[in-house]
Amino acid sequence: MQATVPERPAADRHPGLVSEFLDSIREPRTPFISPKRFAGRAGFRLETLARLAGVHRNTARQSPGSEPLQRMLRGMVKAIVAATGLTGDVDKAIFWLINEPIADYRHRTAAELIAAGELEAVLTYLDDLAGGATG
């Protein structure tokens, strides 16, 4: 199935929600996503984020700017922003990211897919949903 790109990016449809979410997870005085703040917002333990990113369990606390950790967090944020465009609610998008198994991807969640380096599959799936696919 060919993915259909929504008319406007999710951030354009829900700018206040997305901006508020991004502000809430930013590492103060850095260009990084705060693993601690993201974990708190998503309901993850820091050790779980580290495991998903493939880094040592202490990396999230001691080296929040770690490239593998930040890459995974950026992927999760991209998926949350895209899902917010569909749901209209950041918390529903986060819940979907970590809890909803995707049948087309062997019932793995979006978080599991992103951790496995399959962000594009998640974004394509969300584009398909935005275009009217039933999932």
Side-chain angles (χ1 to χ4, degrees):
M1 175 184 301
Q2 181 66 31
T4 304
V5 178
E7 291 178 19
R8 296 182 300 163
D12 288 351
R13 289 194 302 270
H14 303 284
L17 292 174
V18 171
S19 178
E20 189 176 299
F21 169 65
L22 293 174
D23 286 345
S24 76
I25 62 170
R26 185 170 181 226
E27 183 76 35
R29 296 175 300 283
T30 74
F32 303 129
I33 298 167
S34 167
K36 182 178 180 179
R37 289 178 179 206
F38 182 88
R41 186 72 193 262
F44 281 116
R45 295 182 59 218
L46 284 175
E47 294 80 10
T48 302
L49 282 181
R51 181 181 47 78
L52 288 170
V55 298
H56 188 273
R57 63 186 171 89
N58 292 331
T59 300
R61 282 188 185 85
Q62 297 172 354
S63 300
S66 157
E67 183 52 34
L69 180 60
Q70 287 295 311
R71 185 178 325 109
M72 195 256 326
L73 289 170
R74 285 190 302 267
M76 290 201 179
V77 167
K78 286 178 184 179
I80 290 168
V81 169
T84 298
L86 295 173
T87 66
D89 184 294
V90 172
D91 291 326
K92 285 181 182 178
I94 291 169
F95 182 86
W96 171 82
L97 176 91
I98 61 178
N99 293 296
E100 183 86 22
I102 303 172
D104 292 348
Y105 295 99
R106 298 178 42 202
H107 299 281
R108 291 183 290 168
T109 66
E112 291 168 330
L113 289 165
I114 292 165
E118 298 182 48
L119 171 63
E120 288 305 315
V122 172
L123 296 177
T124 298
Y125 177 79
L126 289 168
D127 283 347
D128 287 347
L129 290 178
T134 58

